[in-house]
Structures are given as structure tokens and as C-alpha cells.
Amino acid sequence: MAASHPTQEPLLLPLASDRATLPLAGGKGANLARLVRAGFPVPHGFVISTEAYASFVAANDLARHILSELEAEGRAADLSGGEAHEATSSRIRARFSEATMPASFWDQILAAYAGLGRPPVAVRSSATAEDLPDMSFAGQQDTFLNVIGDEALLAAVTACWSSLWTARAISYREHNRVSHGDVSIAVVVQKMVQSEAAGVLFTANPLTGLRTETVIDATLGLGEALVGGRVQPDHYVVDRCTGQITSRALGAKVLSIRGKDGGGTETVAESAAATQALPDAQILELAALGDRVAGMFDAPQDIEWAWADSALSLLQARPITSLFPVPPGLDPEPLRVMLSFGAVQGMLDPVTPLGRDLFFHLVVAVGQLFGMALRPETQNALFVAGERPWINLTPLVRNTVGRRIVPVITLAADPGVAEALGAILHEPQLQPERRGVRPRAALQILRFILPVAGNVLLNLMAPGPRRRFIVSRGERLLHRSGHISGIAGDPQERLGQLARISAAFVAERAAARFASSCPAWQRPWRPTTSFGS
């Protein structure tokens, strides 16, 4: 295992150290260290680095045992995945509890603990594959609260190290194709906050995806009751633009978890359904802190917090990994309606850059059919987010005519999309800004529709000659498509040319579908783009 080869990195780091990076301090430790250095209210503490874990593993020859257990699990045929992971985890963690650490290592940890004043502490696992932008690994490793005394601290540290090998952690890494040999673990030791209220804060609404809303869940006592799903918390929503509380729902809060005098925690019955866990002033203060944290990390954050002695503390910050990305260049405001082109077409996988470029050129070609001078980089009908194309329906939704047309089209394309659209049309930011169709837009539409209608009538009146004309036109288009073989330049230039030619071919083929030999005023307008250009 990679962690079994210690180097000369430090065993312990101050929580404010600029060396408390992901490889040495794990995800949680690295994020907390950034918060401390930026001046945020974070409880004092220190980090037991991944080097200490590596030294512990090496001193007790645990890497060989871990590898042996994982290989044995892979060969086992009598247990299913979950049961196999539980059995493997139990055996590995038993070895950790039996292992010993050289006295000099323990002495350094206890000296750092004494430097804090030997107070009650929270001992938190911090894996190197944890709290990352693309994977959170939240809850996979152990945390111990209200740890008091030397022996309890050392036992908690060892338990945190062994929690790298919980059944959930093993399964999660395998599911996400993270090699067991590529991960290690640090331990964060901080002064315990005996909170009056605690909870989690999301700087974007995790249910709706709105980046303009801060969502706060709060309960009495320690946040462990909330994180463990044992209590119905208060739920507050703050508008990030106005700084106002827009929603509050008080939870039952029938219990709380609080620290005991001798160490550890206890569950206490509460009767607080009518009591707000966090006052309004602290809700707004906490939301403002969350905004600053999200700004520093340049990404929406999931933050654990505590309130004690009239002061707020931040206990953890990690990226919200469940949010779908916003198209680059688009701000969270104003509210927009975007339709997944791939979902409507049944293409759920990411679209390649060439495919996306082709879609952009198709939008330009269609715009040209309506007399619009567009370029792929200036059009605002199609955007890319999550490597998938999205159609911008906002201008249609904000128009009285479009609001009647869009639901009909989406219902025909995908009933699920129509249902989702109906749920948001009442939003104030999506109400019509324009009534009817502007004269210029009406002229562009008529300029396209009238020739089409005329050609449909001609096709019905003279199907034979029309069929021969359209077939002849198609043959000419196919012949002109031979320009594709003459594409030259470097790979990127060739891909761009191919996308433009393909888009022009599709657009001209669509125009040819309605071509006719009727008088000039009946001939459909055709795009100026040609294969030779």
C-alpha cells in the first residue's frame, strides 16, 4: 500500500500551517487550514498528518495485512459485496486496535494536546480522498466528540486511522474506482465547541440548484444528531441577493446530543418544536459567512457550523458535489429556463467537443433561415453545461405567445419536461416581459413559413415533377459535399471546418426540401452559407 512507505514529512502540523495541504492534511484538514489562514472563526487545533498514519502502518506491518485481506475478499465467493466488506473491515480494524505506536510519536501528539491546554477536543478523520470537488466521501470515516484525556485521545486517533477501512469507505472507493493504495488519512484535533445550536449550511440550494439561495438546517446541541439523521431540524432559506430570510420552518427537534462532563456524548430529550434553534441575527450572520467561504473557494460549499457563547464557529467546509454545473459565462441571476437537448433526444451521455460544435453551427444555420446574422460564439439559444447541450427557453417563456407554445411543444417532446416546466412558470422572474410578437420577428417568421406553405401546396398539385426536382437537388448537394475530402490544416482547424460544412449541409438540405420552380416571390429564402465558402 502507498501509505506504508513513510517519508520525512512532519508528523504534526499547526492547523494554520501553509503545509496543511491535501496530501498531508487530507481534504477536511486542508480546507480547515485555508479557513484559518483566511481569518474565519475555526476552533484552534492541530493536524496529525498522513505521515504519522504511514509511520504507524509501517511500524506495525499493517500494509501487508491490509493487502492480504483485500485480496482474500476478492477471491471469496461465499459472501455478497456488503457482507464481504463488513467482514474485511472488521478484521483490518481489529489489527489497528492491537497495533502500537512508538512512544516518541505519541509524545508529540500529547505535547500538541497539552499546547491546547488539554481541553475536551473533537477528533476528526481527514482522508486524502475526502471533501474533493468531484467526490465528497462524506461520512465514510469516523469522528469522535468531547474527547477528554491522553488515553482517550490516543484511542480516538487510532480509531480514526482505522476508519479509513470501514466497510462504507472500502465500498465507496471501489464504486468510484479509487485505488485503495492511493489513499491515506490524517486526523484533525480541535478544541470542542459545546454548542447551543449546530447544523449545516449550503451556499446553494441543494434541492433546486439555485445559487441565489443559502439553506441552513439547525438543531439544538451538537450537530451530530442532524448529521446522523436522528432529528428533524429547523430549515431556513436566505436570499443571497437581498440578504433577507425568505423562509423558515421549525422542526420538531425532539432530542439533542450534548457533551458529558467525563467525556463522550449523551442524548437528551427536548421539547423545542416551537423554539427557533438559531436567532434571526445569527442566521443572517451565518449566511454572510457562508458567502465569504464560497467566494474564497470559488464554488458552492457545504459547511458545518456551531453556535456557542454568542459566537459562530465553522467546523468543516467542502464543495457541494451534487449540483449540476451552470453554463460558463452565465451568472446565477436572472433566473433562466434551460431544456436539456440530450434528454429530449435520449442522449444522456456527454457530447464530444466536435458534436457540440456541430450543434452550435446548426443553431447558426437555422437562425440564418430566419434572416438572423449569428455566429456560434454569439448565439444565445444553445449553451453547454456538464458537457451537454442545453436549449435556452427563457425568451420564449417570458413572452405571452411563447408561454402558450412552449408547453405544447415540450408535452409532445417529453411529458416529464412539460410537468417540470409547469412547476416553475409561476416564478416572478419568469413572468412575461413582452406581449405578442414584434413586427420584425413576425416578418422573419412569415418570410420562412409562406414559402414553405406554398411549396407544400405545389407538392400536392404536382407530385411527379416536384419529386424529380427534389431528387435532383439532393444529388447536387451530395456532389458538393465532396468538399469534405479537401479539408486541410491542423486537427483543430479540420474539425472546425468539418463542423461548419456539416451544419451548412444540413441547413441547405432543409431548405432544399421546400425548393420549387415557382415564381421568385414563392421561392424559399436560402442561407448564404455554401460548401465552397
Side-chain angles (χ1 to χ4, degrees), residues 4 27 77 108 116 158 253 359 374 390 398 405 407 441 455 467:
S4 65
Q108 291 186 54
L116 291 178
T158 303
K253 303 185 294 293
F359 286 135
L374 300 176
W390 292 78
R398 290 179 178 160
I405 296 174
N455 282 297
R467 178 182 178 85

Side-chain angles (χ1 to χ4, degrees), residues 43-105:
H44 295 303
F46 59 91
V47 177
I48 303 172
S49 74
T50 54
E51 168 65 13
Y53 170 80
S55 298
F56 181 83
V57 167
N60 293 276
D61 196 25
L62 291 174
R64 181 173 57 83
H65 175 74
I66 293 170
L67 183 60
S68 175
E69 290 291 348
L70 293 174
E71 289 178 346
E73 177 186 309
R75 294 192 300 268
D78 56 335
L79 293 176
S80 62
E83 293 174 326
H85 291 328
E86 288 288 353
T88 299
S89 172
S90 178
R91 290 191 293 269
I92 292 175
R93 300 194 74 179
R95 284 295 185 98
F96 272 82
S97 64
E98 298 166 358
T100 59
M101 173 66 81
S104 59
F105 291 179

Side-chain angles (χ1 to χ4, degrees), residues 209-212 241 326-336 338 383 398 429:
L210 282 176
R211 269 68 168 180
T212 56
C241 299
V326 172
L330 286 187
D331 295 326
E333 286 287 326
L335 185 65
R336 296 176 178 84
M338 311 290 283
F383 293 86
R398 290 179 178 160
Q429 295 186 64

Side-chain angles (χ1 to χ4, degrees), residues 170-248:
I170 294 171
S171 176
Y172 198 77
R173 286 195 293 269
E174 291 181 353
H175 177 74
N176 287 279
R177 295 180 174 85
V178 175
S179 170
H180 295 303
D182 291 339
V183 297
S184 186
I185 191 168
V187 178
V188 178
V189 180
Q190 293 175 281
K191 286 185 176 181
M192 184 68 193
V193 179
Q194 305 290 2
S195 53
E196 303 165 40
V200 295
L201 174 151
F202 300 94
T203 62
N205 193 317
L207 297 180
T208 65
L210 282 176
R211 269 68 168 180
T212 56
E213 290 184 345
T214 290
V215 175
I216 300 171
D217 287 340
T219 191
L220 300 177
L222 305 178
E224 191 69 12
L226 173 58
V227 174
R230 299 179 58 189
V231 66
Q232 180 188 9
D234 290 353
H235 184 78
Y236 318 124
V237 179
V238 178
D239 188 313
R240 296 182 65 189
C241 299
T242 65
Q244 300 296 313
I245 301 172
T246 58
S247 172
R248 60 167 62 79

Side-chain angles (χ1 to χ4, degrees), residues 385-423:
E387 299 183 328
R388 295 163 175 84
W390 292 78
I391 303 169
N392 183 14
L393 297 181
T394 312
L396 292 175
V397 169
R398 290 179 178 160
N399 181 279
T400 54
V401 176
R403 286 175 78 87
R404 292 194 293 268
I405 296 174
V406 170
V408 175
I409 296 174
T410 54
L411 182 62
D414 187 330
V417 171
E419 182 179 354
L421 183 64

Side-chain angles (χ1 to χ4, degrees), residues 107-194:
D107 289 344
Q108 291 186 54
I109 294 173
L110 296 180
Y113 179 45
L116 291 178
R118 302 184 71 253
V121 292
V123 182
R124 308 176 188 274
S125 303
S126 179
T128 53
E130 180 180 23
D131 295 350
L132 305 179
D134 52 348
M135 288 182 292
S136 71
F137 279 79
Q140 305 301 316
Q141 283 83 40
D142 290 342
T143 289
F144 299 91
L145 302 178
N146 202 39
V147 177
I148 300 175
D150 294 354
E151 293 300 322
L153 173 60
L154 301 183
V157 170
T158 303
C160 282
W161 282 338
S162 74
S163 71
L164 187 64
W165 303 101
T166 62
R168 288 182 64 193
I170 294 171
S171 176
Y172 198 77
R173 286 195 293 269
E174 291 181 353
H175 177 74
N176 287 279
R177 295 180 174 85
V178 175
S179 170
H180 295 303
D182 291 339
V183 297
S184 186
I185 191 168
V187 178
V188 178
V189 180
Q190 293 175 281
K191 286 185 176 181
M192 184 68 193
V193 179
Q194 305 290 2

Side-chain angles (χ1 to χ4, degrees), residues 237-288:
V237 179
V238 178
D239 188 313
R240 296 182 65 189
C241 299
T242 65
Q244 300 296 313
I245 301 172
T246 58
S247 172
R248 60 167 62 79
L250 303 188
K253 303 185 294 293
V254 296
L255 60 85
S256 66
I257 295 178
R258 300 181 184 272
K260 296 192 298 184
D261 290 341
T265 60
E266 62 181 351
T267 301
V268 178
E270 301 281 359
S271 179
T275 303
Q276 192 166 301
L278 195 63
D280 283 2
Q282 276 64 49
I283 292 174
L284 296 177
E285 181 185 353
L286 182 59

